[in-house]
């Protein structure tokens, strides 16, 4: 990345689970920053965060906060993005938004750099970062789509609680300890904070992430379905998803069945292709019990793929297991990676 | 059930996770027992178990243990079944075997009473109890197969550690507490006790249950594939499985995609049919966040089904979520239910 100049970067939602990872990722990547503004809701303003050893006070995000900002990374919820992202753009910033607010907007590129970086050229100030569970799946599917064509995807997810925020992680830990101690622990957050009912997540699996749509799918499932088609430029792709929350802190896993548009392809060919793809680490050797797992992917930017095998009935069908850190490639790293790509492409004014 | 006489029942593997549930289930069902023999390996012999308030000493299982036994429920591992089930049959007992030792034997019926009770008529002394993850799925699929015909099944499982025995449950609990306390806990059992590598199960998901086969599927996955075809009498059915172990004590969940051999069928019709099926409790109302979950199915004999919805691309395709207590319908209850059905059908000498 050319580092001729530094940029004024703002992180909106700096105190949240993803915001914290964004700050850390900017530091790890030695992102070219001339000034870093950490912003949040009024409730969290005044808290402090550390960037490269320096304490920075988090300020309340207002329209004026974005004066002079070059790049604003948003991850403070859809309503904050809807209210403030246009204000940031108005003031000359380019926004990378990690909420669902603009993802399906025709005028907003929805980008996973390994898949559709060229869509960035068509931005109008806002670039949407896809849903965590979508990102890791399309990184693994893209090389197959490019080489063979992709016809059908059926995914069942195994998602970590950090996708629901830091409070959900605390709920999992506190509830788990209470249950081990034989105590009661009233669920208050999961599966959906604003929902009417809350269920135990410790030692459980909850087949609901986000609210239900009229068609019986959840919003999370529809995000995976619609975002996958948009990112991969495959409006006709058949995609179905079942999204499930697990008692895992960080690291989403996915059991993915897919059908390619080619016959006679072996599992070894698929392994080789996926393993060579950008952003992918292949962990696939059954004889050595090598496959990806969420507990071992935390803190890494890669998408880990394993358990690749050919379907026993369908000549075009394959199965695979895809794991990634949902706070990094699923959120913070993909957002920072979009920002880096924007700079590389000369798209930041 | 006619209770004109009592039967001499033996439980082999009486001290194990499933054996304990078998004894409790025999008590709960008020099974017609004249004498109860509790048998185990030499290692566990001498331990005591309680049946209807009475302490019974567990004895080492030998060929002679089966003299006079009418019904023997085996759940002490495949090698014990292979060695002793024929000895029990030789002495006049009818064996219900909860291991994989005889399941795919052409001369051995593999039975889920709600699905293929009539196969019991063809027994030669041994009846096999299917794998836990298979049982709950075929109970939910059978009414659809009967009414519409079934073409294809793709299942991803979310399996509890008690399927790997009581020691695996202890490993999950101890390891979880250690991690919450910031301590180390060396994995020793999961995913496969006899395997070379062991992985953390607390706050993790392990995409391996049982050993790997040459085709890249695990033995657990192949059990689901082959047993489903045998039980449902559908040798041509397309079935694929991905089996995953979760940090859940008891209760297996399954994300099931299936295609029926009929078009124009609504999700409501499928719900109604599955909900009326024997052994099934429908828990399916998205607007009230009603769906099955493992933490809430423990101790119940039923198969719980929810999240039934029509695929958005395939007119014949549907998705559902199936949950059951893997120690009960998945093992102990299905075994006792087979024994009850044998008595009802007059098949116990």
């Amino acid at each position: 990345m050319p580092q001729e100049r530094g940029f004024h970067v703002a992180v909106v939602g700096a105190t949240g689970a993803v915001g914290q990872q964004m700050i850390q990722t900017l530091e790890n990547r030695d992102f070219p920053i001339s000034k870093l503004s950490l912003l949040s809701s009024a409730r969290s303003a005044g808290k402090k965060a550390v960037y490269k050893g320096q304490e920075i006070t988090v300020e309340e995000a207002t329209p004026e906060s974005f004066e002079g900002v070059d790049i604003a990374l948003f991850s403070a919820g859809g309503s904050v993005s809807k209210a403030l992202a246009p204000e940031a753009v108005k003031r000359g910033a380019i926004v990378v938004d990690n909420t669902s607010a603009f993802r399906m907007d025709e005028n907003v590129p929805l980008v996973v750099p390994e898949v559709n970086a060229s869509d960035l050229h068509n931005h109008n100030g806002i670039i949407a970062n896809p849903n965590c569970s979508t990102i890791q799946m399309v990184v693994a599917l893209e090389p197959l789509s490019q080489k063979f064509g992709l016809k059908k995807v059926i995914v069942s997810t195994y998602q970590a609680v950090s996708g629901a925020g830091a409070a959900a992680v605390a709920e999992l830990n506190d509830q788990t300890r209470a249950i081990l101690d034989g105590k009661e622990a009233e669920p208050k957050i999961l599966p959906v904070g604003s929902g009417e009912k809350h269920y135990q997540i410790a030692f459980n699996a909850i087949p609901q992430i986000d609210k239900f749509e009229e068609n019986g799918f959840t919003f999370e499932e529809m995000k995976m379905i619609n975002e996958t088609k948009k990112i991969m430029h495959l409006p006709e792709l058949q995609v179905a998803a079942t999204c499930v929350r697990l008692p895992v802190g960080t690291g989403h896993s996915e059991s993915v069945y897919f059908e390619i548009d080619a016959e006679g392809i072996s599992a070894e060919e698929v392994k080789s292709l996926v393993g060579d793809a950008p952003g992918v680490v292949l962990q696939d050797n059954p004889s050595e019990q090598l496959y990806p797992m969420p507990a071992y992917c935390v803190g890494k930017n890669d998408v880990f793929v394993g358990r690749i095998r050919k379907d026993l009935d369908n000549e075009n069908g394959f199965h695979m297991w895809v794991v990634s850190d949902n706070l990094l490639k699923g959120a913070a790293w993909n957002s920072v990676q979009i920002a880096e790509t924007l700079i590389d492409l000369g798209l930041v004014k």
Side-chain angles (χ1 to χ4, degrees), chain A residues 19-314:
Chain A
Q20 288 290 308
Q21 294 291 333
M22 283 174 166
I23 298 166
Q24 189 60 53
T25 301
L26 290 168
E27 177 170 335
N28 294 349
R29 298 289 300 178
D30 201 15
F31 196 90
I33 291 179
S34 57
K35 183 179 177 188
L36 181 61
S37 298
L38 302 184
L39 306 171
S40 74
S41 63
R43 193 167 43 82
S44 295
K47 288 187 183 175
K48 294 183 190 300
V50 176
Y51 171 74
K52 291 193 175 176
Q54 247 192 314
E55 243 186 20
I56 301 177
T57 302
V58 178
E59 291 169 24
E60 183 184 351
T62 64
E64 293 70 35
S65 309
F66 299 96
E67 294 290 354
V69 167
D70 298 303
I71 300 167
L73 307 177
F74 274 71
S75 191
S79 56
V80 173
S81 291
K82 274 182 189 152
L84 291 179
E87 297 291 340
V89 172
K90 204 185 291 177
R91 286 165 178 81
I94 191 162
V95 168
V96 181
D97 180 35
N98 186 41
T99 77
S100 63
F102 304 104
R103 284 181 191 151
M104 295 313 295
D105 188 323
E106 278 182 20
N107 299 311
V108 173
L110 181 67
V111 174
V112 177
E114 292 88 345
V115 179
N116 63 334
S118 60
D119 286 354
L120 291 172
H121 290 286
N122 306 317
H123 84 83
N124 294 295
I126 300 175
I127 291 107
N129 190 78
N131 190 47
C132 45
S133 49
T134 311
I135 294 175
Q136 65 187 69
M137 185 170 79
V138 298
V139 167
L141 288 174
E142 180 65 11
L144 299 158
S145 171
Q146 288 295 327
K147 175 100 178 199
F148 305 118
L150 194 63
K151 288 159 60 183
K152 187 183 184 74
V153 177
I154 298 174
V155 56
S156 295
T157 72
Y158 301 67
Q159 294 184 230
V161 294
S162 57
V169 177
E171 176 164 272
L172 168 63
N173 290 340
D174 295 347
Q175 201 180 79
T176 302
R177 190 181 288 278
I179 287 170
L180 287 174
D181 290 344
K183 293 179 192 160
E184 290 287 319
E186 193 196 343
K188 289 180 180 168
I189 296 170
L190 291 165
V192 179
S194 61
E196 285 202 7
K197 292 183 184 162
H198 298 108
Y199 299 118
Q200 175 185 326
I201 183 63
F203 305 111
N204 197 19
I206 306 180
Q208 180 189 2
I209 298 182
D210 219 318
K211 297 188 176 174
F212 281 99
E213 307 268 288
E214 277 298 312
N215 62 8
F217 286 77
T218 60
F219 188 46
E220 181 85 357
E221 288 158 0
M222 292 311 300
K223 282 190 267 188
M224 288 197 78
I225 292 167
N226 294 323
E227 293 179 16
T228 297
K229 296 180 191 188
K230 178 171 175 175
I231 299 163
M232 300 186 78
H233 293 212
L234 296 173
E236 303 299 320
L237 182 67
Q238 298 182 29
V239 193
T242 299
C243 291
V244 181
R245 190 74 78 187
L246 294 195
V248 169
T250 295
H252 286 355
S253 308
E254 297 174 347
S255 169
V256 184
Y257 169 76
F258 60 91
E259 291 175 9
I260 57 175
D261 199 7
E263 296 202 348
I265 307 303
S266 71
E268 288 309 315
E269 286 174 87
V270 171
K271 281 185 202 183
S272 165
L273 193 67
V274 173
D276 287 343
V280 170
V281 172
L282 188 73
Q283 293 184 330
D284 195 330
N285 188 345
S287 69
E288 303 210 327
Q289 294 182 264
L290 180 65
Y291 36 71
M293 286 176 280
Y296 302 96
C297 81
V298 178
K300 294 167 187 161
N301 284 343
D302 313 280
V303 172
F304 299 89
V305 184
R307 297 288 334 264
I308 294 174
R309 60 209 192 276
K310 192 155 186 168
D311 191 66
L312 301 176
D313 299 299
N314 191 321

